[in-house]
Amino acid sequence: LLSFYRPQSFFSLGGNNFLRDGSAGEYSKSQVNTYRGQIHHQFSTKFSVDVRYWQIRHKFTLSSYPVIVDPQKIHRIGQILWFTLNYQPDSTQSIIIMPYGYKWGDRYHNADYSEQRKTELYSLGIKGEYQKITGFVKWGLLTDMVRNKITEAMVFRTADQWSGKVLANMELIGNTWSLQFRGGYWFMPDVGNQPELNLHWKMQLPLKIKSDFSIAQVPQILPLSSLFWEGYSISPLTDPQMPLRRGISWEVGLPALLGVNLSVEPYYYIFKYSWAYDAQNLKFIQRGVENSGVLAKAETR
């Protein structure tokens, strides 16, 4: 449903109901419902506000099959609400402020309710962005601050954590090339801080050869479950470090041959302090992961 209540201002509602069945009866059955709502209000040519709400509900049952042992019924609910304030003083600059909040819930019980749990994760945050164009240079600032809280009676103690990032970006555009840079700092108290560096360089070379070079170091936030798990004799991370992805790649696009565009991209990535669960020793761990190879692509129309 989409309805305009004044020129350039509207509200919209949407949703769906997805049902799945299969040969395993209740144990292959799944139900997903989504609901979406938005209000867009245009105050002037320079200032507008969007309010959005999304919800997703997912119900399913797990068990071994065909021998049914201790069926587990799970109902997950996710909700997101965010406001976007858009201000564009002129054609060369824009300002976006976005307060947001989300809540994820996990309800679980077995057939006779001898085991059950209810986990809730709450998050409140605010994002900000400023972008400016000066000649052939586009630059800006981005920030994101969020507080996460997790509660559960048996598996977690109630715990919360702040995290955030402050980034700057710059883009230079020429006739046959573009250079993009983004850098800044991520921080997560009691875990650590890491810088982000991201360089992307595109060029149009002679003979219609395209070059796309990228080098990056991007941190990631640790989920609260790996930090504050309690119960079932499972140990949380003992010396948590902020995960960090580093990588380099270079894609070369070759001239079209008989209507086929070809490209080759060698790459190398390393993921430091990747978090995982060690099922044998019942604990969360962090480890390094490497990934390298050559990606080849062929495209035609």
Side-chain angles (χ1 to χ4, degrees):
L1 173 65
L2 174 65
S3 178
F4 284 84
Y5 58 88
R6 56 177 290 183
Q8 296 186 332
S9 297
F10 62 87
F11 70 86
S12 67
L13 299 172
N16 79 291
N17 181 33
F18 173 79
L19 299 174
R20 186 194 70 183
D21 207 343
S23 59
E26 182 182 9
Y27 306 103
S28 58
K29 184 182 294 183
S30 177
Q31 180 175 359
V32 179
N33 298 97
T34 67
Y35 308 98
R36 300 177 298 277
Q38 177 186 359
I39 298 175
H40 174 83
H41 189 83
Q42 193 78 33
F43 289 94
S44 66
T45 56
K46 297 182 178 180
F47 181 57
S48 66
V49 173
D50 287 276
V51 182
R52 293 181 174 92
Y53 172 76
W54 288 3
Q55 183 182 124
I56 182 169
R57 307 174 72 92
H58 184 197
K59 298 176 70 173
F60 56 97
T61 302
L62 293 178
S63 178
S64 57
Y65 184 83
V67 179
I68 307 301
V69 179
D70 196 19
Q72 304 172 14
K73 296 184 179 296
I74 300 173
H75 188 191
R76 291 175 174 166
I77 304 172
Q79 303 178 73
I80 312 175
L81 173 67
W82 74 102
F83 302 80
T84 307
L85 289 76
N86 302 282
Y87 179 58
Q88 190 169 3
D90 53 52
S91 60
T92 66
Q93 55 185 333
S94 64
I95 300 173
I96 298 175
I97 299 176
M98 184 188 298
Y100 63 91
Y102 54 86
K103 174 186 174 184
W104 302 113
D106 183 300
R107 290 111 169 93
Y108 156 83
H109 67 84
N110 58 2
D112 61 3
Y113 286 85
S114 60
E115 289 185 13
Q116 53 185 312
R117 70 169 183 256
K118 179 182 178 182
T119 307
E120 303 284 0
L121 173 66
Y122 306 87
S123 299
L124 286 174
I126 184 169
K127 296 180 181 180
E129 180 177 350
Y130 174 75
Q131 296 292 332
K132 171 74 173 178
I133 299 175
T134 306
F136 67 95
V137 179
K138 179 180 179 181
W139 58 274
L141 296 171
L142 303 93
T143 63
D144 186 8
M145 292 284 296
V146 58
R147 178 181 181 269
N148 299 301
K149 180 179 180 181
I150 195 168
T151 64
E152 205 279 327
M154 295 175 61
V155 179
F156 303 98
R157 61 179 181 267
T158 299
D160 62 84
Q161 178 70 275
W162 283 92
S163 61
K165 57 186 175 183
V166 178
L167 303 171
N169 67 279
M170 183 173 63
E171 181 178 1
L172 290 80
I173 302 176
N175 293 329
T176 61
W177 59 273
S178 70
L179 183 64
Q180 300 175 356
F181 171 79
R182 192 171 83 165
Y185 224 65
W186 293 53
F187 50 91
M188 194 173 183
D190 303 325
V191 174
N193 309 310
Q194 289 283 6
E196 174 180 335
L197 298 171
N198 203 318
L199 182 67
H200 200 179
W201 185 18
K202 293 183 178 181
M203 289 188 66
Q204 179 68 59
L205 301 177
L207 302 177
K208 297 182 178 181
I209 298 175
K210 297 179 180 179
S211 172
D212 191 346
F213 177 78
S214 177
I215 184 170
Q217 171 178 289
V218 182
Q220 289 188 340
I221 298 297
L222 274 172
L224 295 188
S225 58
S226 64
L227 297 173
F228 301 111
W229 190 286
E230 284 189 351
Y232 300 120
S233 301
I234 296 174
S235 302
L237 292 173
T238 54
D239 184 22
Q241 302 290 327
M242 184 176 286
L244 186 66
R245 290 185 293 117
R246 291 173 176 164
I248 184 171
S249 66
W250 183 31
E251 181 178 358
V252 178
L254 304 176
L257 180 63
L258 300 177
V260 178
N261 296 313
L262 302 174
S263 68
V264 178
E265 180 185 359
Y267 60 86
Y268 174 75
Y269 297 103
I270 183 171
F271 197 167
K272 295 185 64 178
Y273 310 120
S274 170
W275 72 277
Y277 174 63
D278 181 353
Q280 184 175 0
N281 297 304
L282 299 178
K283 63 180 182 179
F284 286 93
I285 60 173
Q286 288 187 287
R287 61 189 181 190
V289 178
E290 292 188 15
N291 181 22
S292 61
V294 178
L295 176 65
K297 293 184 287 186
E299 180 187 75
T300 186
R301 296 186 180 180

